[in-house]
Amino acid sequence: FGYIYRSSHTAARKFWIHVELVYQTFNLIFSWFSLGNYYIAFYILSNAMEDKSFGIAGIKVINLVLNYMYLGLLVTCYLLALGNRPQGSKKWYTIAFIGFGIVTIYMTFSAFFLAFRGISDIASQSQNGTLTFGDFFTNSIFRNIVVSLLATLGLYIFASLLFFEPWHMITSFVQYLLMAPSYIAVLNVYAFANVHDVSWGTKGDNKVATDLGTVSAAGKNKNEVEVVVPTEQKDINAAYEDALHVLSQKPEKTIPKPDLNQKQEDYYRNFRTNVLLVWTLTNGLLGAVVVSTAGKADDKGAQNAVKGYMGFVLFSVAALAFVRFCGSTAYLIIRLFAGE
């Protein structure tokens, strides 16, 4: 890393390299904990729907069923990734994609419902004549959900309009939204569970074909083969004596030579186990800590439920989207002036 400071790059270029370093580091950490963060977002949004002031009948039962379905699908993805090829488990992977899509629909509905209630609470304050600009940001629902979601979606839409390619927001955005948790759960789990497989992309070209030999038919009848076996009594007795002699001799102690290919394969598998274990435990620990410390909406209200870590996750997503937006906009401006 110190070579950057000894390089011939200009001060401005070194500065932007550090900006990219900070962005990539934060993005890497955020991606590492994406599995836990998505479950935390699901739990907090569903928990906020249990606010007694909303009066939604049976919401606790719905949340309980979806919570167990979420965890069950996640465990299924782990089991499939460790022992099955995707081509051989299309049914289960399809069920996982559909299940996570249902979870996303519920999360989207919860987010918009909470946003609507947050705006309604602010509007009710304005009727009393006490509304100020700061009231918009003291309301945690408006601050954490409405502002962050509008910032994220607004940046996507604005960037699409800048590049004159808004059509994918119409034709593909809904599909992308429904498949977002599958990118996090299904694909991430499969990638970490198979990080030891260095043959990805080779399509089997790295395997050496072995010749197992052939069996030739003897005579005119191709459906018959000849096998030579001892038939005379003396040949049978001699073979038996030879077998007894071999069994009576103590075999020489041989030191097995390590198979280099097997040793390398064991190293890859052990590395996979360590990475998968650390990734799973860190995400599980993060989820357990945040979920156990999050306030219950039926006791403290929806505003308290979406405070804290939920706001950090939503604004982190918005911040990362803003950095990407700045980069894409800078590329567009440079391309325009460069005449490309």
Side-chain angles (χ1 to χ4, degrees):
F1 183 77
Y3 286 104
I4 295 178
Y5 303 103
R6 298 196 297 268
S7 65
S8 59
H9 293 301
T10 62
R13 181 170 293 181
K14 291 178 181 178
F15 170 76
W16 287 113
I17 289 175
H18 283 77
V19 172
E20 183 180 5
L21 175 64
V22 173
Y23 166 75
Q24 295 291 357
T25 302
F26 184 79
N27 190 41
L28 177 62
I29 297 173
F30 201 75
S31 300
W32 177 272
F33 290 103
S34 60
L35 187 67
N37 283 333
Y38 203 90
Y39 176 75
I40 291 171
F42 161 73
Y43 177 84
I44 293 178
L45 286 175
S46 60
N47 179 42
M49 296 291 290
E50 297 180 5
D51 191 333
K52 294 181 180 179
S53 62
F54 298 161
I56 304 176
I59 189 63
K60 290 186 177 182
V61 177
I62 296 175
N63 290 340
L64 184 65
V65 172
L66 289 177
N67 185 63
Y68 280 117
M69 184 182 75
Y70 190 109
L71 296 177
L73 291 174
L74 192 58
V75 172
T76 302
C77 291
Y78 269 89
L79 296 178
L80 293 175
L82 288 171
N84 299 68
R85 295 189 312 117
Q87 295 87 341
S89 306
K90 292 183 179 180
K91 178 180 178 181
W92 284 109
Y93 276 114
T94 303
I95 293 174
F97 271 75
I98 295 174
F100 284 121
I102 295 173
V103 171
T104 304
I105 293 174
Y106 179 71
M107 292 176 64
T108 305
F109 168 78
S110 301
F112 279 100
F113 180 83
L114 292 173
F116 175 77
R117 291 303 297 256
I119 297 174
S120 299
D121 292 341
I122 297 175
S124 63
Q125 293 179 9
S126 65
Q127 295 177 357
N128 299 329
T130 59
L131 183 66
T132 62
F133 182 77
D135 292 334
F136 287 94
F137 295 94
T138 56
N139 186 292
S140 60
I141 295 179
F142 183 87
R143 180 182 67 247
N144 295 341
I145 296 181
V146 178
V147 175
S148 60
L149 289 180
L150 286 179
T152 304
L153 297 178
L155 288 173
Y156 287 151
I157 295 173
F158 187 56
S160 300
L161 294 175
L162 283 179
F163 282 84
F164 297 103
E165 295 181 358
W167 315 116
H168 67 277
M169 296 294 294
I170 301 174
T171 60
S172 306
F173 182 73
V174 175
Q175 297 92 314
Y176 170 78
L177 187 66
L178 294 177
M179 295 181 66
S182 297
Y183 296 143
I184 296 172
V186 179
L187 299 185
N188 264 0
V189 169
Y190 186 85
F192 276 98
N194 294 273
V195 71
H196 68 291
D197 188 357
V198 296
S199 65
W200 280 24
T202 60
K203 303 183 183 300
D205 293 340
N206 59 327
K207 296 182 179 179
V208 179
T210 57
D211 186 7
L212 300 180
T214 58
V215 176
S216 301
K220 297 181 179 180
N221 192 352
K222 296 183 178 180
N223 295 326
E224 296 181 359
V225 294
E226 293 182 356
V227 180
V228 180
V229 295
T231 55
E232 296 184 8
Q233 187 64 31
K234 60 179 182 179
D235 294 334
I236 297 176
N237 291 337
Y240 180 72
E241 293 293 337
D242 291 338
L244 289 179
H245 177 72
V246 172
L247 293 174
S248 62
Q249 297 292 325
K250 188 176 181 180
E252 297 181 1
K253 186 177 181 180
T254 58
I255 301 176
K257 295 182 180 180
D259 187 353
L260 296 180
N261 293 331
Q262 185 62 42
K263 187 176 181 180
Q264 187 73 12
E265 183 69 19
D266 292 340
Y267 169 77
Y268 288 147
R269 291 179 181 274
N270 186 58
F271 178 79
R272 181 275 309 270
T273 301
N274 294 335
V275 172
L276 183 63
L277 188 62
V278 173
W279 180 65
T280 304
L281 291 180
T282 51
N283 278 273
L285 180 62
L286 175 65
V289 171
V290 176
V291 168
S292 60
T293 56
K296 291 291 184 180
D298 55 355
D299 297 331
K300 300 181 180 180
Q303 289 197 36
N304 291 317
V306 299
K307 283 183 178 179
Y309 192 79
M310 183 65 178
F312 167 75
V313 171
L314 292 175
F315 277 103
S316 296
V317 174
L320 292 174
F322 177 73
V323 174
R324 290 192 292 269
F325 169 78
C326 292
S328 61
T329 305
Y331 168 76
L332 178 63
I333 295 174
I334 294 173
R335 191 179 66 175
L336 289 174
F337 282 97
E340 296 180 0

